[in-house]
Amino acid sequence: MSLRLGVMASGRGSNFLAVQREIEDGTLDAEIALLVSDRARAPAFDRAREHDVPSLHLPYDKQDREAFERTAADAFDRAACDYILLAGFMRILTPYFIRRFSGRILNIHPSLLPSFKGLHPQRQALEAGVKFSGCTVHLVTEDLDAGPILAQAVVPVYENDDEDRLAARILAQEHRVYPEAVRALTAAGG
Ligand code: GRF
């Protein structure tokens, strides 16, 4: 079943691009119907323009987080999105948004959850001295980085790694595993 996807991103947008590329290559039966970002200058917007993906900047108001979320959710509904993919979206969603798309929001996190939730997971992995880390695609629930796991990939952690080197190794796997997790949803009939 072909899925309509909404994406939320705050920055570079390489995961967004990885999903879009598989759609264009025909290996993923889906369409990114709308990209939403809270940052006007997010490089993700350039990627959206280059790939003809509709996009929308919504200013984020810390005093009224639901206002942002309501506008975003209405836009995703108007675009008839089946699933929302968080791809480097740096805001924590409130229960309002999570309930509105219950079971239909995915996130990618650069650690092997349930280890190293929250910020700087690659740094946390180095500090813990683990020999393997990786990334996790999971459903978003009201508990941060704790929803049901859909897919994971493992990478080695080397003695001389720094945060950037480890992050790059993990990111390469994110680009493989995020489209794969979405493909599993299409295979399951959405
Ligand atoms: C990725 O490492 C993702 O796992 C994390 O934020 C980063 C976003 O990168 N949630 P990009 O914007 O997709 O390039």
Side-chain angles (χ1 to χ4, degrees):
M1 185 188 125
S2 183
L3 291 180
R4 291 179 70 76
L5 307 172
V7 176
M8 298 176 91
S10 300
R12 168 176 70 175
S14 72
N15 278 290
F16 156 58
L17 186 58
V19 172
Q20 175 61 19
R21 284 211 169 116
E22 292 221 11
I23 292 170
E24 289 171 14
D25 290 349
T27 49
L28 181 57
D29 186 13
E31 179 182 341
I32 300 183
L34 182 64
L35 166 80
V36 166
S37 182
D38 56 316
R39 281 191 43 221
R41 290 163 179 274
F45 281 127
D46 301 324
R47 308 289 87 74
R49 262 189 302 277
E50 289 157 10
H51 291 264
D52 290 324
V53 173
S55 62
L56 181 64
H57 166 238
L58 296 177
Y60 195 82
D61 180 356
K62 280 189 192 144
Q63 310 307 320
D64 190 358
R65 301 194 295 162
E66 271 193 34
F68 170 91
E69 294 184 355
R70 206 173 312 114
T71 314
D74 288 347
F76 286 133
D77 274 346
R78 268 197 306 279
C81 295
D82 300 299
Y83 285 90
I84 311 297
L85 309 185
L86 306 184
F89 182 64
M90 296 309 288
R91 310 284 185 177
I92 292 177
L93 293 166
T94 74
Y96 165 78
F97 190 91
I98 295 171
R99 286 177 195 162
R100 193 159 154 181
F101 293 97
S102 177
R104 298 195 288 137
I105 309 172
L106 275 62
N107 183 40
I108 186 149
H109 185 79
S111 76
L112 292 174
L113 290 173
S115 292
F116 315 133
K117 297 173 182 176
L119 289 175
H120 308 300
Q122 300 93 340
R123 191 185 305 166
Q124 294 183 52
L126 291 174
E127 283 170 2
V130 294
K131 300 298 180 197
F132 293 92
S133 190
C135 57
T136 302
V137 180
H138 65 95
L139 287 176
V140 172
T141 60
E142 291 177 36
D143 297 326
L144 185 68
D145 296 332
I149 291 172
L150 301 180
Q152 288 185 309
V154 178
V155 306
V157 180
Y158 299 122
E159 292 287 324
N160 60 350
D161 268 348
D162 60 18
E163 220 176 311
D164 288 347
R165 266 199 299 269
L166 178 58
R169 194 175 308 121
I170 293 173
L171 191 65
Q173 294 305 311
E174 294 183 38
H175 296 164
R176 188 178 61 75
V177 93
Y178 215 174
E180 189 179 291
V182 178
R183 200 161 28 247
L185 296 174
T186 65

